[in-house]
Amino acid sequence: MGFDRHEAHIEPAGYVKLRLVELRYLLPRRLMQRVGVQSGSIFVSGRNLAVWSNFSQGDPEGDVYGGQNAGGQFFRWFPGPQTRSWVVGLRTDF
């Protein structure tokens, strides 16, 4: 494959990730009915909030090759971290 595969590239594979958290508050029905809505809720959602790992390059899931092509399989060069995102919203039923 053109790359020297040796033990220096072997790293711990275990990790724990806080991938998704969503908090939701159901709004009182009376309040929603006053504005012509059957029900509603306010929510806050966070994705990829934390990762705990002994992996030397940060997030073990960050991989520029995705482990798919033969030349870069199982190798990681400058992996980009998973993006962290927050969403705040209002859900309603009419």
Side-chain angles (χ1 to χ4, degrees), residues 15-94:
Y15 66 95
V16 174
K17 187 173 224 179
L18 184 57
R19 185 175 309 277
L20 178 65
V21 172
E22 182 170 316
L23 301 172
R24 185 170 52 150
Y25 174 73
L26 294 173
L27 297 168
R29 264 194 191 274
R30 280 191 215 164
L31 176 66
M32 294 289 91
Q33 289 172 347
R34 285 184 196 169
V35 294
V37 177
Q38 288 182 358
S39 64
S41 63
I42 296 173
F43 70 93
V44 175
S45 175
R47 184 176 294 275
N48 293 323
L49 301 179
V51 63
W52 294 272
S53 172
N54 290 329
F55 187 64
S56 67
Q57 296 179 20
D59 190 345
E61 290 185 327
D63 188 355
V64 292
Y65 283 111
Q68 298 300 318
N69 84 3
Q73 192 173 24
F74 309 115
F75 285 89
R76 297 167 189 256
W77 291 286
F78 313 110
Q82 298 287 320
T83 57
R84 179 177 298 151
S85 62
W86 292 94
V87 176
V88 178
L90 172 67
R91 291 186 178 132
T92 58
D93 292 326
F94 292 93

